[in-house]
């Protein structure tokens, strides 16, 4: 398979495999896929498992996807993967392919030109499940993509599946999707955030990683209107890196903003330099944290 | 009794009474480990979580200055004194100009640098900068009430 693509590059006819270890990164890519589908007038179907059905819409909303409104108008549907697969006791690849084919026809009858589907596959590791049926599904479902009316991202948690299963699953897809990572080492990870668009940094950040931070912010400055800097998973930042973020905000024209999401020590660092007084910068507490 | 000049225990904060301390040389590749050591020792010295965070910030900024402007290497000492944890960072760099004034003024929002010592002064109960001729020693006291 070719090199992984960014989620923005996926479109009708793509059957993409997302292997992930960071749950935030998975939800970011899923949110971007759902959001662009909704924007383009596609029908969107989310099969979820590790994130419960009743929680996924909230997770999408937190990532700038108007999920509740889309559910109400019938453009977005959220279902439990396990319930669908194990509805008749034993998982069956053929039944799932037929079910998806039915959804594709339904979407067409409802007037949607394309169906976007994303599915969390971690249910397949439950004792009752059968990996062979999941892998058969991944092979057989390929036929549904032929006429360019279906786009899909299948999500595989690298910590849940063994390497052989992952390799087989990956080979059954025509595309791999991955986050754009600007920098990664054991201390810090700097990657692109797709929804809302910007940069996500996790770990600890100091001046020794100023260069990849500057590069990531410069790319967001070029690509995005408002810049969202997600530091919710960042435990430490030094004054040099706070200054780089402030400089980026100060360089924005009047109609653009840089939004920082953070908590704890990182939030205190922004308070200590009176970041609140900068008009183009917003610092907000991370969702669900003090 | 573990005195202020002793080295850090290899496998974690040195066990001992309130005078226990960290004494650690550092270079540019040691910053992450040094912050972890400061957090562990500050906790051991009786600092509550918010003061542990302040000590990590203070130590991080002083060490950052030493690495970037003070010759690239230095030594950090952490110890308990009356009502505070003392963080001392020394290097062999050219010294800090106007040590009495460094970091005392609010940096302009347009300033690219210069926020480190300003932050340290906001968090520390006192800050002393000594240019010794062979380098610089910066000592910050972060208030930590006796337990």
């Amino acid at each position: 398979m070719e090199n992984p693509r960014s989620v923005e590059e996926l479109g009708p006819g793509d059957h993409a495999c997302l292997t992930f270890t960071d749950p935030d990164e998975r939800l970011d890519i899923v949110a971007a896929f759902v959001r662009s589908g909704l924007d383009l007038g596609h029908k969107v179907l989310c099969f979820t498992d590790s994130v419960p059905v009743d929680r996924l819409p909230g997770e999408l909303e937190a990532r700038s996807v108007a999920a509740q409104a889309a559910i109400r108008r019938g453009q977005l549907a959220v279902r439990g993967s396990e319930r669908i697969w194990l509805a008749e006791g034993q998982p069956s690849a053929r039944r799932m392919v037929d079910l998806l084919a039915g959804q594709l026809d339904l979407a067409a009858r409802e007037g949607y030109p394309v169906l976007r589907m994303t599915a969390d596959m971690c249910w397949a590791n439950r004792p009752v499940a059968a990996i062979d049926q999941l892998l058969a599904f991944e092979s057989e479902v390929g036929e549904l993509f032929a006429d360019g009316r279906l786009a899909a991202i299948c999500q595989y948690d690298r910590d849940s599946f063994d390497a052989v299963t992952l390799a087989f699953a990956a080979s059954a897809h025509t595309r791999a999707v991955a986050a754009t990572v600007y920098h990664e080492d054991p201390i810090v990870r700097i990657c692109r955030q797709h929804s809302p668009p910007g940069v996500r940094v996790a770990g600890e950040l100091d001046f020794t990683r100023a260069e990849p931070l500057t590069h990531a912010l410069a790319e967001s400055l070029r690509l995005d209107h408002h810049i969202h800097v997600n530091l919710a998973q960042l435990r430490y930042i030094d004054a040099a890196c706070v200054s780089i973020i402030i400089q980026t905000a100060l360089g924005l024209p009047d109609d653009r903003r840089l939004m920082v999401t953070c908590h704890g020590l990182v939030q205190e660092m922004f308070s200590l330099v009176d970041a609140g007084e900068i008009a183009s910068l917003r610092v907000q507490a991370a969702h669900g944290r003090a | 009794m573990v005195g202020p000049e002793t080295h850090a225990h290899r496998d974690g904060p040195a066990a001992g009474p309130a005078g226990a301390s960290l004494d650690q040389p550092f270079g540019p590749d040691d910053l992450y480990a040094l912050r972890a050591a400061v957090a562990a020792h500050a906790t051991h010295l009786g600092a509550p979580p918010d003061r542990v965070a302040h000590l990590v910030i203070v130590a991080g900024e002083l060490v950052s200055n030493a690495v970037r402007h003070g010759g690239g290497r230095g030594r950090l000492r952490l110890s308990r004194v009356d009502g505070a944890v003392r963080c001392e960072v020394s290097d062999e760099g050219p010294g800090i100009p106007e040590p009495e004034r460094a970091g005392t003024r609010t940096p302009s929002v347009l300033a690219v640098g210069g926020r480190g010592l300003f932050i340290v002064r906001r968090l520390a109960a006192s800050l002393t900068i000594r240019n010794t001729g062979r380098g610089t020693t910066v000592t910050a006291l972060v208030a930590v009430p006796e337990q």
Side-chain angles (χ1 to χ4, degrees):
Chain A
M1 194 164 25
E2 61 185 44
N3 287 332
R5 293 187 174 206
S6 173
V7 63
E8 289 98 346
E9 298 173 82
L10 293 183
D14 285 335
H15 178 206
C17 181
L18 165 64
T19 59
F20 68 93
T21 49
D22 176 357
D24 269 356
E25 183 172 305
R26 180 261 292 271
L27 280 170
D28 176 41
I29 288 174
V30 168
F33 184 69
V34 171
R35 193 168 76 156
S36 76
L38 296 178
D39 289 348
L40 292 166
H42 299 172
K43 176 93 182 265
V44 183
L45 189 54
C46 294
F47 292 109
T48 186
D49 191 278
S50 50
V51 178
V53 171
D54 58 356
R55 232 187 68 208
L56 187 65
E59 293 285 354
L60 294 173
E61 291 275 349
R63 289 166 177 80
S64 299
V65 181
Q68 302 287 8
I71 290 170
R72 281 195 296 274
R73 66 174 177 269
Q75 192 182 357
L76 171 65
V78 177
R79 305 269 183 272
S81 300
E82 189 176 11
R83 261 183 80 180
I84 299 277
W85 273 89
L86 303 177
E88 293 174 16
Q90 287 298 314
S92 154
R94 195 65 242 168
R95 187 164 49 80
M96 274 307 287
V97 173
D98 291 346
L99 186 145
L100 203 53
Q103 289 292 322
L104 201 51
D105 289 343
L106 176 66
R109 284 200 303 278
E110 289 170 339
Y112 297 102
V114 173
L115 174 67
R116 283 190 176 221
M117 187 275 284
T118 176
D120 179 355
M121 298 306 193
C122 80
W123 63 269
N125 278 304
R126 307 275 151 74
V128 64
I131 289 278
D132 63 317
Q133 286 302 305
L134 171 65
L135 297 180
F137 164 78
E138 292 287 22
S139 299
E140 291 175 28
V141 78
E143 67 201 48
L144 298 183
F145 291 87
D147 63 359
R149 289 189 299 130
L150 179 64
I153 294 180
C154 303
Q155 310 154 34
Y156 287 85
D157 184 343
R158 277 199 286 269
D159 291 337
S160 299
F161 289 92
D162 64 86
V164 174
T165 304
L166 279 179
F168 186 92
S171 69
H173 295 78
T174 55
R175 299 257 184 267
V177 61
T180 304
V181 180
Y182 300 108
H183 178 88
E184 186 168 28
D185 65 37
I187 295 166
V188 69
R189 187 164 198 267
I190 304 172
C191 61
R192 175 147 178 82
Q193 176 170 280
H194 298 93
S195 189
V199 176
R200 187 169 64 249
V201 190
E204 298 196 8
L205 185 59
D206 62 37
F207 70 93
T208 60
R209 274 70 172 178
E211 196 178 313
L213 175 68
T214 305
H215 172 65
L217 290 169
E219 183 153 301
S220 182
L221 195 63
R222 191 166 53 79
L223 295 174
D224 310 320
H225 184 64
H226 298 311
I227 298 176
H228 295 264
V229 179
N230 180 351
L231 307 181
Q233 302 294 326
L234 191 68
R235 295 183 302 272
Y236 174 85
I237 188 168
D238 71 358
C241 292
V242 167
S243 292
I244 290 169
I245 293 169
I246 287 175
Q247 289 304 311
T248 307
L250 288 170
L252 291 172
D254 288 347
D255 63 335
R256 295 172 70 185
R257 297 281 178 274
L258 188 150
M259 265 79 73
V260 176
T261 307
C262 56
H263 68 101
L265 183 154
V266 176
Q267 193 175 6
E268 185 159 17
M269 283 293 282
F270 281 95
S271 301
L272 285 165
V273 298
D274 300 321
E277 293 174 15
I278 299 167
S280 55
L281 182 66
R282 299 270 186 281
V283 180
Q284 58 197 25
H287 178 62
R289 292 179 189 268
Chain B
M1 181 84 169
V2 181
E5 298 301 317
T6 56
H7 287 261
H9 203 275
R10 275 186 177 280
D11 47 8
S21 69
L22 172 69
D23 182 352
Q24 189 76 39
F26 60 81
D29 298 329
D30 304 324
L31 307 186
Y32 173 77
L34 200 62
R35 290 194 295 269
V38 166
H41 282 260
T43 303
H44 182 71
L45 293 172
D50 62 327
R51 296 305 159 96
V52 171
H54 290 178
L55 279 156
V56 169
I57 293 171
V58 165
E61 296 306 326
L62 297 183
V63 166
S64 166
N65 278 348
V67 170
R68 293 200 293 167
H69 312 298
R73 314 198 71 78
R75 185 168 209 98
L76 178 143
R77 294 180 177 87
L78 204 67
S79 57
R80 192 72 157 105
V81 294
D82 280 348
V85 169
R86 181 175 186 272
C87 177
E88 180 189 291
V89 173
S90 52
D91 64 52
E92 296 181 357
I96 296 173
E98 300 188 89
E100 299 300 321
R101 293 178 60 192
T104 54
R105 280 179 295 185
T106 307
S108 155
V109 290
L110 299 169
V112 175
R115 292 186 170 90
L117 275 178
F118 174 74
I119 287 172
V120 170
R121 284 196 191 272
R122 288 192 76 169
L123 295 178
S126 80
L127 183 75
T128 313
I129 302 173
R130 227 161 17 100
N131 290 324
T132 62
R134 284 173 309 166
T136 306
T137 298
V138 185
T139 307
L141 296 184
V142 172
V144 173
E146 301 296 332
Q147 287 173 304

